[in-house]
Amino acid sequence: MATLPVPPILTAASKPRRSTRGSFSTPAIARAKPPNRFSRLRACGSLRSADLAGRSVALSGDIPAIFDAPLAPHHKLIGRWVASRETVPVVRTRVAARRHIERVFDAAVLDILNPVILADLRVAVLHSEENGPPAIAIICEGLGQLDLGWIETSDAPIPWRAAAYSALEKTLGRALPVFGYQDLFDEIAMYYWDGETDDETARQCLIDYHGADADDLDEQTLPSTMNARRPEWMIAANAAPSAQLPIGLRKQLNRLYKAHEALGRLPSERNAWHFDFQAIYEYIPGIEECSSLPPLTLVPFEQFARELDDVARNGMEMGFMDVAGLCPLPDADRLDDWFASLQIGAQFLLAAQDLIQIDPASP
């Protein structure tokens, strides 16, 4: 006897948030494989083996309601964790037990993730396709450019803005499926110029392999013209040293880097934000059909709309690699560690969120 998820309600990890600004307007093409989260795969379409935190679970319609169904492995695992937190034992039917387990788990997840509005995050509890233990995945549902706040739109000095932007580029990939300018440039180089990154060889590739007319190359995007479109605050070399930043901004940057280091110190097997290709293949069937592009970017649409649309086409058609982390849980004792790591990752995202939202000149 099986259980089927009821249509989702907006709780726990499926609650919408103000995570991104803009989106990929037309689908695009991409195949480069940079060595970071940009190279990850995506949990595409629907998670066929997942029960989402916050969903209630109902009996399959072809099973009479008078016949209860046994708890699935992931309900048993989380159920043991729920039972360990209760002081008074309560006798419940299996249906009531499933719902109680989901509500308690859902509330605990929400308590940690609710303050995070930088990205749309939800949590899914997954069955293994290979008879392994249940796993919990963090999924990013946002799409497009992260809102960079004052870094992109204010009149603050360029060195301040560049320091903040550079910090986000260096750190955010540890917790979010996000790509930066260098990732975009590498992808465009593969698509437009067969991987070449200097103007002369890129021109020759456009002529030899794309049929471009040598007399019309002034109208074509070249590596130097693409790089020239970067606003000054996107260039790391323009970032001011820490000692030259206002004290409030310096404190926020230090907080971000410390939270980033704390997340990096977690052991992978007890880290809610850890990403492993082989584990993803095991727990999310059909993932190989999805794009290798993350759904979020730090690249501003205003300057790079065409390039972002080009690289996003495959993701718009097949889905993006939107897993922020996945952690198999062989026993209920690991759940406390999972929640502790979820909290550490949330603190890191809150540090990034506060960096984007502060008044950089304030003490």
Side-chain angles (χ1 to χ4, degrees):
M1 291 184 284
T3 61
L4 293 177
V6 170
I9 53 179
L10 298 179
T11 58
S14 56
K15 182 178 178 180
R17 308 176 190 277
R18 304 191 305 276
S19 59
T20 59
R21 174 170 53 80
S23 61
F24 304 115
S25 60
T26 58
I29 303 169
R31 280 291 179 268
K33 305 284 183 182
N36 53 23
R37 280 182 180 256
F38 189 62
S39 304
R40 304 181 313 168
L41 295 177
R42 185 233 180 220
C44 62
S46 60
L47 296 174
R48 289 178 286 167
S49 61
D51 286 308
L52 303 183
R55 284 188 177 181
S56 56
V57 177
L59 289 175
S60 172
D62 59 355
I63 299 173
I66 59 172
F67 296 104
D68 207 347
L71 294 177
H74 62 299
H75 278 98
K76 290 179 180 178
L77 177 86
I78 298 175
R80 287 191 288 273
W81 173 79
V82 171
S84 71
R85 296 161 59 91
E86 296 184 336
T87 57
V88 179
V90 177
V91 177
R92 295 181 176 89
T93 66
R94 289 192 182 97
V95 172
R98 280 192 292 272
R99 291 175 178 167
H100 177 67
I101 290 165
E102 290 156 9
R103 281 194 295 267
V104 173
F105 179 71
D106 186 67
V109 169
L110 273 175
D111 187 54
I112 295 172
L113 292 184
N114 253 349
V116 178
I117 61 173
L118 180 66
D120 293 341
L121 299 174
R122 65 182 174 91
V123 166
V125 184
L126 309 176
H127 301 288
S128 168
E129 293 293 303
E130 304 294 335
N131 297 317
I136 305 179
I138 304 172
I139 309 297
C140 178
E141 294 196 312
L143 177 65
Q145 180 197 341
L146 286 170
D147 189 342
L148 297 172
W150 69 273
I151 300 170
E152 182 176 6
T153 61
S154 78
D155 294 326
I158 292 297
W160 300 5
R161 297 160 70 185
Y165 185 79
S166 177
L168 293 174
E169 272 203 315
K170 292 175 183 176
T171 61
L172 270 183
R174 181 159 284 175
L176 291 181
V178 60
F179 65 94
Y181 177 76
Q182 189 59 51
D183 299 314
L184 176 65
F185 182 87
D186 292 342
E187 196 83 350
I188 288 296
M190 291 294 296
Y191 181 46
Y192 288 171
W193 316 306
D194 291 348
E196 302 295 345
T197 58
D198 66 272
D199 284 3
E200 193 55 41
T201 49
R203 283 190 185 95
Q204 201 58 46
C205 284
L206 289 170
I207 295 169
D208 294 344
Y209 303 115
H210 297 278
D213 191 320
D215 295 330
D216 296 331
L217 286 179
D218 289 344
E219 301 176 4
Q220 299 289 336
T221 297
L222 294 172
S224 65
T225 59
M226 181 173 171
N227 283 330
R229 275 187 273 133
R230 287 178 297 170
E232 290 183 286
W233 51 265
M234 284 185 67
I235 301 172
N238 291 333
S242 178
Q244 296 178 15
L245 295 173
I247 187 169
L249 178 55
R250 187 162 67 243
K251 286 179 179 178
Q252 287 294 340
L253 287 170
N254 288 339
R255 177 186 165 205
L256 177 70
Y257 284 125
K258 287 180 180 178
H260 179 257
E261 291 172 2
L263 186 56
R265 287 194 296 267
L266 294 175
S268 59
E269 69 275 9
R270 296 174 184 268
N271 184 358
W273 306 88
H274 178 69
F275 186 96
D276 178 78
F277 279 113
Q278 295 306 314
I280 294 297
Y281 279 123
E282 178 180 345
Y283 285 94
I284 304 176
I287 193 172
E288 66 278 359
E289 300 172 4
C290 300
S291 168
S292 62
L293 189 74
L296 302 178
T297 184
L298 285 164
V299 180
F301 273 81
E302 183 177 350
Q303 288 82 12
F304 297 99
R306 176 185 173 187
E307 287 79 10
L308 289 167
D309 285 345
D310 281 345
V311 301
R313 181 172 299 121
N314 194 41
M316 294 297 289
E317 293 173 351
M318 304 300 296
F320 295 91
M321 52 170 183
D322 59 2
V323 178
L326 184 141
C327 185
L329 297 168
D331 56 67
D333 292 340
R334 291 281 186 90
L335 267 167
D336 284 332
D337 292 333
W338 183 87
F339 274 107
S341 69
L342 184 70
Q343 180 71 61
I344 291 172
Q347 289 170 349
F348 166 61
L349 293 178
L350 288 173
Q353 183 173 294
D354 289 345
L355 174 63
I356 292 168
Q357 294 177 346
I358 64 166
D359 175 357
S362 64

